[in-house]
Amino acid sequence: MVSPPPGLPASSLLQVLLLGLSALAPASGAQFQLHVPSGLDQVHAMEGEEVVLPAWYTFQGEAATARPWETLTLMWFLEQEGKDLKQVLAHISGVTTNQDGASLVYPMPSRNVSLRLQRLREKDSGSYRCSVNVQDKQGTSRGHSSKTLKLDVWVPPAPPSCHLLGTPRVGTNVTLSCKSPRSKPAALYQWERSHPSVEVFFAPVLDAISGFLSLRNLSSSMSGVYVCKATNRVGSASCNVTLEVSSGPGAAVVAGAVVGTLVGLGLLAGLVLLYQRQGKAPEEVANDIKEDAAAPRTLPWPKGSDTISKNGTLSSVTSSPALRPPHRPSRLGASTASTPMTPTRSHGWVSPSALSRKGAVPVMVPAQNQAGSLV
């Protein structure tokens, strides 16, 4: 058995062998021909169904049925843009191999080599090439040819999605959108109102390719159920949306009013707090000045008089004859200019115990200098 060269798939090798056999085929009296229906270059089918790609061969001047001497080599390939050649079915030396969903319409031996494809999918679309080589019992090629048929698998529109774009209030504009996620060929869209009365829309308010319906200057009479229908050559699907045109303020207006009110209340509260802080500030400054200010200078007191301090922090009584202790005799050699006072009955010295019995309270008496000031 001949193995393919490295990097060359087996399907490509078989294709090369078939071309080589056709080149070596001698001229014969019976001319070999491979046929497809006249004018049939492209076949359309719907996804999920099956399709038959018809093909057959003949020898001119001979019966249409296969002869016992014929040895058939048949291959079907799928060619897709940007992809490698794919073998779909092969019948070589009486043995048939095939991909899932592919089969021959007629059992071999037969000169009808039509291909049946079942459970079609969109990815099955492409160009299908049928290659046939016929040999006799001695291995002599009697003819070779190939034909191509293009298959296009169509997909009906998937259920579309309908949406309302905008706020439906009296006097405003809105847009209804409709889009099918999958459709081959591309779907065209049609909008109509089904309730309360039927109304069909056309261009320019309707864009049948994009699926947009523009409704301008809304009024209450435009409320209702709007139905969109997506259609292509193999099917259709629809969706609907309910339009309710309101005459009152929209939700955005209400939300704006609420937000404005909250912002206004916040600003008012801030101003009140600021005013209160500004009113307390002078009092706090005045208190700080009283606490930090230096004590006022004390005025000199005259000797021999009773004076009460007026700064509120210290009260003292001085030079009271009743509370002044008696003068001691002056030292020897001291000046005798001043005569010591002798206690009398009316102005005598009172002891601390006597003051206590009378309810007197001891106080601090600041010392005085000769000028009479407190030190």
Side-chain angles (χ1 to χ4, degrees), residues 18 21-26 28 133-136 139-144:
L18 287 172
L21 290 174
S22 62
L24 296 175
S28 61
N133 184 69
V134 180
Q135 295 178 328
D136 56 19
T140 303
S141 178
R142 298 291 304 274
H144 173 271

Side-chain angles (χ1 to χ4, degrees), residues 10-366:
S11 59
S12 299
L13 177 62
L14 291 174
Q15 186 178 7
V16 171
L17 291 176
L18 287 172
L19 293 175
L21 290 174
S22 62
L24 296 175
S28 61
Q31 185 178 0
F32 174 83
Q33 290 183 339
L34 179 62
H35 307 274
V36 295
S38 178
L40 183 63
D41 297 329
Q42 187 170 3
V43 178
H44 299 284
M46 189 168 66
E47 187 177 54
E49 297 184 351
E50 71 173 51
V51 67
V52 171
L53 303 181
W56 65 96
Y57 68 91
T58 60
F59 286 96
Q60 187 176 6
E62 294 186 3
T65 58
R67 297 296 182 90
W69 55 263
E70 295 178 7
T71 302
L72 175 65
T73 300
L74 167 66
M75 300 190 71
W76 279 95
F77 298 96
L78 172 59
E79 297 177 344
Q80 293 176 316
E81 185 177 357
K83 296 183 180 181
D84 295 333
L85 192 67
K86 178 182 178 181
Q87 178 181 305
V88 178
L89 182 144
H91 178 80
I92 302 173
S93 301
V95 179
T96 302
T97 58
N98 58 281
Q99 296 289 330
D100 184 35
S103 62
L104 292 172
V105 176
Y106 296 95
M108 295 291 109
S110 172
R111 290 184 175 179
N112 191 317
V113 292
S114 300
L115 177 67
R116 175 186 285 114
L117 298 174
Q118 297 175 309
R119 301 182 298 278
L120 288 174
R121 294 166 293 181
E122 184 181 3
K123 66 178 184 179
D124 293 330
S125 299
S127 297
Y128 287 79
R129 184 196 305 174
C130 176
S131 181
V132 176
N133 184 69
V134 180
Q135 295 178 328
D136 56 19
K137 293 295 184 180
Q138 289 75 30
T140 303
S141 178
R142 298 291 304 274
H144 173 271
S145 184
S146 63
K147 294 287 185 180
T148 300
L149 289 173
K150 186 175 181 180
L151 173 64
D152 194 7
V153 179
W154 285 347
V155 180
S161 298
C162 291
H163 298 283
L164 170 63
L165 308 178
T167 303
R169 297 196 310 272
V170 173
T172 62
N173 304 329
V174 297
T175 300
L176 305 183
S177 68
C178 180
K179 186 68 176 178
S180 174
R182 189 165 177 258
S183 176
K184 184 181 178 182
L188 295 178
Y189 301 93
Q190 176 64 57
W191 278 97
E192 67 178 29
R193 186 177 67 174
S194 61
H195 182 79
S197 59
V198 177
E199 182 179 1
V200 181
F201 299 93
F202 302 95
V205 296
L206 171 66
D207 188 336
I209 297 177
S210 64
F212 290 109
L213 175 65
S214 299
L215 301 177
R216 300 182 179 278
N217 194 19
L218 292 179
S219 61
S220 299
S221 61
M222 298 174 69
S223 300
V225 178
Y226 289 75
V227 179
C228 172
K229 186 175 183 181
T231 306
N232 67 7
R233 296 181 181 181
V234 291
S236 63
S238 62
C239 63
N240 64 78
V241 62
T242 301
L243 177 65
E244 296 181 358
V245 181
S246 62
S247 57
V253 176
V254 175
V258 173
V259 172
T261 302
L262 294 178
V263 172
L265 291 176
L267 292 176
L268 181 59
L271 291 175
V272 172
L273 293 176
L274 181 61
Y275 177 77
Q276 291 179 350
R277 288 184 61 85
Q278 289 179 349
K280 291 181 179 180
E283 298 180 2
E284 295 176 355
V285 173
N287 292 335
D288 292 342
I289 293 175
K290 288 180 180 181
E291 294 175 0
D292 298 339
R297 186 175 179 179
T298 306
L299 296 176
W301 293 358
K303 290 183 178 180
S305 61
D306 295 339
T307 307
I308 299 176
S309 175
K310 298 179 180 180
N311 59 11
T313 59
L314 177 62
S315 297
S316 61
V317 179
T318 60
S319 304
S320 174
L323 299 178
R324 185 182 303 146
H327 286 277
R328 295 180 183 179
S330 60
R331 296 181 183 179
L332 292 177
S335 175
T336 60
S338 60
T339 303
M341 296 180 61
T342 302
T344 62
R345 291 182 180 180
S346 59
H347 298 284
W349 177 77
V350 182
S351 66
S353 60
L355 291 174
S356 298
R357 287 193 300 270
K358 293 181 180 182
V361 178
V363 295
M364 294 291 295
V365 179

